[in-house]
Amino acid sequence: MNYIVFDLEWNQSPGGKKSSNRRLPFEIIEIGAVKMNECLETTDSFQRLIKPEVYNWIHDSIHEVIHVDYKDLMDGTPFPQAVEEFFAWCGPEFRFFTWGNQDVMELQRNLKYYDMLSKLPGPVTYYDVQKLFSIRYEDGHMRRSLEYAADYLDIPKNQGFHRALADAYYTGEVLKTIEPECILCNSSIDVYQNPKKKKDEIHISYPTYDKFVSREFRDREKIMKDREVNSTRCPICHLPAKRKIRWFINNSKIYESISLCQEHGYVKGKIKIRRTEENRYYAVKTLCCVTKEEAEETRDKRESLRRRRHMKRQESVRE
């Protein structure tokens, strides 16, 4: 099993959102990766500059960060060839590691643009080293920059950041400091290629929470009526937990609820409804144990939202 620690640099429309390609808002212009064995020993590296096909100039803000000249990219490798070489280099058995949760999605979006998505069937399981760093060294929720992690761990900074191979190298060095048991039980899943049918729905149990990813729905309104979507189970014993606060939608358009497991206490649920590029919908639900105080905070939030919405309705009637 090869551990592939990779990083991507990408470009976007120099003319801003109005001239962006909807199918490819971010075009990959560099792939950098290091290969490790299961003992976290570095065995090889990979780097390719990608010749752009969609955007004909580098966005100013991106040029300031990565310092790649457009003329250098014109001598680069076309994306289809570069990605074929990348997957061949990865080998037949590999796990992906990245810093943050965006690279895996953008890799898939670029693959889809070139009709190559079969190279990486999804949903894709990978390991987010940014998340792992937080779990191992902080509170599990804070998300730090790669340079912060390097400084925190006293990793020598022998090369600059914001180039694909350099960032892959630093991500690998952070990964080496984390115990294997912490790594392997905290995988992440990217649902850019989301489940289409009920049999493909995803249930994952992590050390501190459960995650569920639903199948697609044609109408957003039908999602919360689905029994599996709105169910609440204890993430420890996985038995049904009795609803104490029904699902309500907060200001961030996220549904929340509080339930009670008789053995393990309060369970907080969160549901995010996401829209696909084909204008269909699916739900991502998390369930985690919380304290009584945290459950009361959720109750207070619901009541505050109710009061504000009631006041808005009254003001609307008076007008």
Side-chain angles (χ1 to χ4, degrees), residues 81-146:
Q81 178 185 340
V83 82
E84 289 277 8
E85 293 171 355
F86 175 60
F87 281 114
W89 175 83
C90 288
E93 298 289 337
F94 62 86
R95 292 184 173 129
F96 272 159
F97 295 78
T98 66
W99 188 264
N101 60 10
Q102 198 167 359
D103 282 356
V104 172
M105 185 190 76
E106 294 304 335
L107 177 59
Q108 292 172 87
R109 185 146 54 186
N110 277 252
L111 287 168
K112 183 177 180 179
Y113 183 84
Y114 287 97
D115 296 320
M116 299 177 71
L117 197 52
S118 60
K119 288 284 181 185
L120 189 61
V124 178
T125 298
Y126 69 104
Y127 296 82
D128 179 352
V129 183
Q130 185 185 50
K131 180 178 82 172
L132 295 173
F133 173 82
S134 183
I135 291 170
R136 174 61 179 82
Y137 295 107
E138 299 190 312
D139 63 358
H141 301 287
M142 184 73 71
R143 294 294 181 263
R144 301 290 192 177
S145 70
L146 181 55

Side-chain angles (χ1 to χ4, degrees), residues 24-253:
L24 196 69
F26 301 106
E27 181 177 21
I28 294 172
I29 56 174
E30 187 177 23
I31 302 173
V34 294
K35 183 185 293 183
M36 295 179 172
N37 58 29
E38 291 178 278
C39 297
L40 298 181
E41 298 166 330
T42 302
T43 60
D44 202 0
S45 64
F46 179 95
Q47 190 270 341
R48 293 289 187 278
L49 284 176
I50 309 297
K51 183 178 181 179
E53 296 289 341
V54 178
Y55 301 119
N56 58 10
W57 201 249
I58 297 179
H59 192 284
D60 288 344
S61 62
I62 292 173
H63 188 269
E64 288 175 8
V65 173
I66 66 174
H67 304 296
V68 172
D69 193 279
Y70 192 78
K71 289 183 287 186
D72 297 329
L73 295 180
M74 294 309 294
D75 294 328
T77 306
F79 179 82
Q81 178 185 340
V83 82
E84 289 277 8
E85 293 171 355
F86 175 60
F87 281 114
W89 175 83
C90 288
E93 298 289 337
F94 62 86
R95 292 184 173 129
F96 272 159
F97 295 78
T98 66
W99 188 264
N101 60 10
Q102 198 167 359
D103 282 356
V104 172
M105 185 190 76
E106 294 304 335
L107 177 59
Q108 292 172 87
R109 185 146 54 186
N110 277 252
L111 287 168
K112 183 177 180 179
Y113 183 84
Y114 287 97
D115 296 320
M116 299 177 71
L117 197 52
S118 60
K119 288 284 181 185
L120 189 61
V124 178
T125 298
Y126 69 104
Y127 296 82
D128 179 352
V129 183
Q130 185 185 50
K131 180 178 82 172
L132 295 173
F133 173 82
S134 183
I135 291 170
R136 174 61 179 82
Y137 295 107
E138 299 190 312
D139 63 358
H141 301 287
M142 184 73 71
R143 294 294 181 263
R144 301 290 192 177
S145 70
L146 181 55
E147 187 167 6
Y148 175 94
D151 289 337
Y152 182 93
L153 297 169
D154 293 322
I155 296 170
K157 295 191 290 186
N158 300 322
Q159 48 190 319
F161 290 81
H162 306 300
R163 287 299 300 269
L165 183 55
D167 284 1
Y169 162 79
Y170 287 120
T171 302
E173 293 302 297
V174 173
L175 182 64
K176 289 178 181 179
T177 72
I178 302 173
E179 295 81 3
E181 56 270 22
C182 178
I183 296 170
L184 296 177
C185 69
N186 286 294
S187 63
S188 295
I189 186 162
D190 184 275
V191 289
Y192 177 78
Q193 298 178 69
N194 57 291
K196 306 299 182 186
K197 301 177 181 178
K198 188 169 182 61
K199 66 180 180 64
D200 301 322
E201 291 181 331
I202 299 167
H203 296 263
I204 309 176
S205 290
Y206 292 103
T208 59
Y209 67 98
D210 281 357
K211 176 176 278 191
F212 165 74
V213 184
S214 79
R215 67 191 183 279
E216 284 188 353
F217 292 80
R218 184 171 298 163
D219 300 314
R220 184 187 181 102
E221 293 72 24
K222 291 183 178 179
I223 295 180
M224 293 304 297
K225 297 177 182 178
D226 183 79
R227 183 177 297 179
E228 188 61 39
V229 171
N230 66 41
S231 66
T232 51
R233 295 186 180 89
C234 173
I236 299 175
C237 65
H238 304 293
L239 293 175
K242 186 177 181 180
R243 201 80 45 79
K244 293 296 183 181
I245 300 175
R246 292 183 179 181
W247 292 104
F248 69 96
I249 190 165
N250 65 23
N251 284 334
S252 301
K253 306 300 181 185

Side-chain angles (χ1 to χ4, degrees), residues 250-297:
N250 65 23
N251 284 334
S252 301
K253 306 300 181 185
I254 297 173
Y255 290 88
E256 296 185 25
S257 74
I258 293 291
S259 302
L260 181 64
C261 171
Q262 291 299 324
E263 185 174 353
H264 299 107
Y266 289 98
V267 176
K268 183 170 184 174
K270 285 188 175 183
I271 295 175
K272 297 180 182 179
I273 296 178
R274 296 181 176 175
R275 186 171 67 178
T276 71
E277 292 177 350
E278 292 76 27
N279 290 319
R280 296 175 72 90
Y281 300 90
Y282 65 98
V284 179
K285 177 175 68 178
T286 57
L287 296 166
C288 65
C289 290
V290 295
T291 64
K292 184 178 180 180
E293 290 73 23
E294 290 172 314
E296 287 302 319
E297 287 176 6

